[in-house]
Amino acid sequence: MELVNIVKILEEIAPPELADDFDEGRIGLILGLENNVERIAVALDANSYVLKKAAKMRADLLITHHTLIFHPINKISKTLAESLRIALENGISLYSMHTNYDRAEGGINDVLVARLGLRNIETAEIGRIGEIEPCSSAELAARVSECLQTPVMYAGEQEDIRRVMVIGGSGFRSEFLEIARENKIDAFVSSELKHEVLRAYGDLCLIDATHYATENPGMEALCSRLRELPGIEVEFIGQPSGLKAIDRT
Amino acid sequence: MELVNIVKILEEIAPPELADDFDEGRIGLILGLENNVERIAVALDANSYVLKKAAKMRADLLITHHTLIFHPINKISKTLAESLRIALENGISLYSMHTNYDRAEGGINDVLVARLGLRNIETAEIGRIGEIEPCSSAELAARVSECLQTPVMYAGEQEDIRRVMVIGGSGFRSEFLEIARENKIDAFVSSELKHEVLRAYGDLCLIDATHYATENPGMEALCSRLRELPGIEVEFIGQPSGLKAIDRT
Amino acid sequence: MELVNIVKILEEIAPPELADDFDEGRIGLILGLENNVERIAVALDANSYVLKKAAKMRADLLITHHTLIFHPINKISKTLAESLRIALENGISLYSMHTNYDRAEGGINDVLVARLGLRNIETAEIGRIGEIEPCSSAELAARVSECLQTPVMYAGEQEDIRRVMVIGGSGFRSEFLEIARENKIDAFVSSELKHEVLRAYGDLCLIDATHYATENPGMEALCSRLRELPGIEVEFIGQPSGLKAIDRT
Amino acid sequence: MELVNIVKILEEIAPPELADDFDEGRIGLILGLENNVERIAVALDANSYVLKKAAKMRADLLITHHTLIFHPINKISKTLAESLRIALENGISLYSMHTNYDRAEGGINDVLVARLGLRNIETAEIGRIGEIEPCSSAELAARVSECLQTPVMYAGEQEDIRRVMVIGGSGFRSEFLEIARENKIDAFVSSELKHEVLRAYGDLCLIDATHYATENPGMEALCSRLRELPGIEVEFIGQPSGLKAIDRT
Amino acid sequence: MELVNIVKILEEIAPPELADDFDEGRIGLILGLENNVERIAVALDANSYVLKKAAKMRADLLITHHTLIFHPINKISKTLAESLRIALENGISLYSMHTNYDRAEGGINDVLVARLGLRNIETAEIGRIGEIEPCSSAELAARVSECLQTPVMYAGEQEDIRRVMVIGGSGFRSEFLEIARENKIDAFVSSELKHEVLRAYGDLCLIDATHYATENPGMEALCSRLRELPGIEVEFIGQPSGLKAIDRT
Amino acid sequence: MELVNIVKILEEIAPPELADDFDEGRIGLILGLENNVERIAVALDANSYVLKKAAKMRADLLITHHTLIFHPINKISKTLAESLRIALENGISLYSMHTNYDRAEGGINDVLVARLGLRNIETAEIGRIGEIEPCSSAELAARVSECLQTPVMYAGEQEDIRRVMVIGGSGFRSEFLEIARENKIDAFVSSELKHEVLRAYGDLCLIDATHYATENPGMEALCSRLRELPGIEVEFIGQPSGLKAIDRT
């Protein structure tokens, strides 16, 4: 299948116009090598670990959530050179879908909310809101940890959580938490919880389930959708964060 | 003791010129009420919880690490109004020392490094570097958890950690991690670890010990120093983050 | 009456979308305290003099033309602290209507033009244009002084003034004077006349009737409109500029 | 005398490095025509009225306080075209000295303070501070009106004024009024007093003596200094503001 | 004919809204002197050479492609003073039409494409695309040199050129060359070819026919159109670039 | 020889601090691959043509005047991908010296001035000034064409040229031409002459000798200097511009 046609399909899955403004230049075809695409690799990040695996499976295209070059560059660092070398030597094109795939139907956040088993899902800006059987903060945190197979950190003791908002990645931002409040949310699941947010929204149960564990399911799910394409092999490349929790208090 | 004289002493403890540029307008006397100061409260944050406690102890001055108004404002939110009301009604002046106190001798990072029991301390930009008896990542994480009385998250398995860099607050920034690498550090203790940093510096043991637990000791230690002032009562107001770790993987 | 409903009515009187861009953040509810509103104070400025009067009359809301915090702040000056203390201790919410009320029907400039007794009124950008019986510059200046009860300064000797443009506040700006010229105006009444404007538009009779005297009537007039609200007491708080003219040439 | 040598002398009188940053491009030789200079005209403003007078006296150079082109231009308005035509047809070069001459020794503010008969003069930023026999606001205002031959507006009733700060032109700016307060000033003489300044510094006697009347003496005084140059005729071109005060309250 | 009516006609010929954004302030009536227009001069540039010729022919209006003041100014250089003096003394208004006339129907590029004898003309952004009898780069370069009566420099050897894109003035910009590629152009005629463009688009035949020679025909052609106005004399003022080619390789 | 040591030598030849501000991020080690350097290629540009030649000669390092990535990027175009692929597959590091090498002793402009046979050389900002036997514009243009083996375009007929200023690359900028005038230059040799410069400096003989021909000699000369390094092979990769002149006027 031609790369240009794959791109069209990817743009249907995650329409570029759904992306945040700051993602300009960071989504879409980051590196387009004129090959015919037979094998697609999917992963969360574009780095040398992932690219080596992609090369091993003889992928023609790597689709990631995070782009290869975040801040525009004039010089090529050793880390970037290593990734680029693998991509260029092995003819692996790079495609990135970020906040457009977060918002998209069936994207990062739809997959996340399903994985957590929430019901009566609504869309709230980039995130999703759903309902659960009433439970406490500790119970919800345990459930998240199990469902996403990750250690979690949480704060905000609540006894009767019914409505939960989720955003994969670093979603603990004021604008989203204000939306949570307006929507009478009891708990908020995302990652990279900062001190100032914890202080300002301490009335909610806040569960930090790590960036990787909240976004990775969405990328994994992308594979199944792409496998429906005729004559295309698709493989997911996992790269766990390795984060562990310890508590000796 | 006059407020103006307290300010002079605070500027010796945490010289304003040590602050980062972005702290302009965010350190020093944030609200100066013309009272004589007899009672000083110290805390990490300036919010209504802390101010109520400060009012109860009849403090004339509250010293915090984080300022009251981070982004400049034209309007006064309800949250801010509540804090201001308590401060103004009770005549509590506000003083903030942030990155200047992070860098200062005997400040946030010096206290943190001492609390962790590191030896042969050197200063490395805003942070500190010290040595420990050789240990593994899991062992160091456990030690940090115990010393700071906080759950921690960590990544990067290492078996022979000897040199550790620490920065209180959100110190997992590229510029500081580059310094860590140049200094042949094995482990880095700070907070608010982001996914992109974890990926880029996965060769180090990275321990996220929470913003509160890494900075609060430095503010507590400030109390003892201020208690030496004649005729001044000083009290520390703790406000734990409430963060807990759960792991059901 | 609930504050939120008062705000709706105020937004009908002075629709926010009529405001100049630079008024962003400077109009609307500047400080909202969750009280029920029974007594409203109205004044030109939000300062401690006015707030003390508002507190004495037990106002729940103070409506002013000029906002409390013009340039965004991180720190709270003593002057601001004093105003805030009175507002917060006495539960006085603050609402500001500025260039939106200048432009609004029945607002600052409509009241001003009526007070001066002009006829056949037209709207010209933020200002108003009207007609008078033919008179000289000195006669018009005397009339303005009498009608607005203020000393005035004027320049540009004219013998046959028929058409007059008025703008309350500091309206002697090139863009408005160009509109005056295009509209064949003979005289322009506003305040804060600068040297460069005087030089550039010396062909017109320019009457500086002070900022206070040209805007205050509009705020006073607002009171009568608000008194129609059921169960609401309204009081105007005057605070004359104290300006006097002396001429010993 | 060659223009280049006149310029050197003018730069000694008003060193360019004393100017405010915003005066960049607005001071010095604005239009240099390669003539030998025999006759110099001096005035406050560079406009067609002044240039016509300068042409009549056959001036080779016009020195003004305010420059010809304030905001940079791509197009030439009719007003500017008229001024330029006179200058170019009559070979009149233009030179401007603004805030550099305000600050300079013997410049605008030194002349103003002398004209008002103040004693024990000190320099305070761009302005000057001096002492007078104790008097009231009304008495000082009357004295200023007489000395500068201008109507004045004033506010802030004081009975015992002893220390006065003066700044020619529009000097009622917060930064200067703060300096006044720090210097325990009782009265401040300048021009273009705005409402917000009047409100914020109502504890001082503020006398608005018009832009023209406070700056013109400094330009007139420049003439006497230039008349000492050998073989140079110098003439001052006055252009009164025409401002009059009327009070019918 | 009144200047204001001439301007209307010029705005029909080269509608201002067709201009590039960077031309703001650089097109239209640059200097408007209130004369009745009887004689119009047309030229490529507005400089003292052209203005002297315009004065000699007693022109009331000079229309040029390049404006008099490119970068906004506060000061008047000697070169500009000389041009202005001639314009003002002789009552010559100035009007400029730049990228709006490049794009306009019958403007710079339409005239250029006709002069080169291209066929089946299409518009491509600011430029034009046309067809020729198949020829080599050397043959096309020779033809351009003859048609425009100018030495040319060219690069990119092609044997079968059929489609040519032309842009008068400095049109060798990436955005236009990308359009050329998308349109399957063989050769591109414009001026001020830079090294980096030559390297990036070496697959095309690039012919640099000088700025003057590619734009001047369009201005000359404007004359014939203006001569149709009743009672108006029109004269073109040529000012050849004087560029010559030498090759001793 | 280690790359890091080569870099030190290159920084002695062209000290980075001599570069223009706009060259930030565009000079120095653009791509550093950790190899030992045995073979160095030198060229004017870093593109796929040059890199292929460099790969063929098994170069470990390519030194160019123009950098690989001019404007910072987030995405990798096909053109860039091709260059990068060759560099990365063949382990060719990239180093760029631009305006620092223009200014450096023995750099671009020193080599150019020597190639043209000028005498009594002085440095004038980035350029050089030298003397020749008196000649006409046509004679000088012919000499430049011969010495640099390039067609040239020139303008400005002069009969008695004695002093010449030269700048390799696009040096026809106002700031440099003003320096030329102050230094009483008769002719100026550089490249990429624009219409506006030609008009403004028509009193000088201006010779456009192409970007390539004026800069390439300086890069060639660098080779001889590098050949002195022990155990290093150095090769120059020429890539002529292909520009030809035709004149059918």
Side-chain angles (χ1 to χ4, degrees), chain E residues 45 142 145-146 149-154 157 192 194-195 199 211-212 239 243-249, chain F residues 45 142 145 149-154 157 192 194-195 199 211-212 239 242-249:
Chain E
D45 298 290
S145 174
E146 257 180 60
Q149 283 296 297
T150 180
V152 310
M153 292 280 262
Y154 75 98
E157 296 297 347
E192 298 182 0
K194 290 182 166 184
H195 178 73
R199 287 297 198 218
H211 200 118
Y212 181 81
Q239 183 191 17
L243 282 166
K244 291 183 186 163
I246 280 191
D247 192 346
R248 291 288 166 88
T249 57
Chain F
D45 297 292
S145 174
Q149 282 296 298
T150 181
V152 310
M153 292 281 261
Y154 75 99
E157 296 297 345
E192 299 183 359
K194 290 181 164 186
H195 178 73
R199 285 300 198 218
H211 200 116
Y212 181 80
Q239 182 189 21
L243 282 166
K244 291 182 186 165
I246 281 191
D247 191 345
R248 291 288 167 88
T249 57

Side-chain angles (χ1 to χ4, degrees), chain B residues 68-98:
Chain B
L68 183 67
I69 304 171
F70 194 78
H71 295 293
I73 53 158
N74 284 105
K75 297 188 173 185
I76 295 165
S77 69
K78 260 179 209 160
T79 307
L80 178 58
E82 175 63 4
S83 294
L84 276 173
R85 189 189 55 74
I86 305 169
L88 292 167
E89 276 188 11
N90 295 281
I92 306 172
S93 296
L94 299 174
Y95 188 92
S96 161
M97 42 172 72
H98 194 219

Side-chain angles (χ1 to χ4, degrees), chain A residues 183-204:
Chain A
N183 283 279
K184 312 279 181 201
I185 291 309
D186 305 306
F188 196 109
V189 180
S190 187
S191 76
E192 298 182 0
L193 175 59
K194 290 181 166 185
H195 178 73
E196 68 189 58
V197 170
L198 175 55
R199 287 298 198 216
Y201 299 91
D203 52 319
L204 301 175

Side-chain angles (χ1 to χ4, degrees), chain D residues 218-231:
Chain D
M219 294 312 286
E220 241 181 311
L222 179 63
C223 291
S224 353
R225 291 168 78 178
L226 295 176
R227 281 195 191 103
E228 290 164 20
L229 299 177

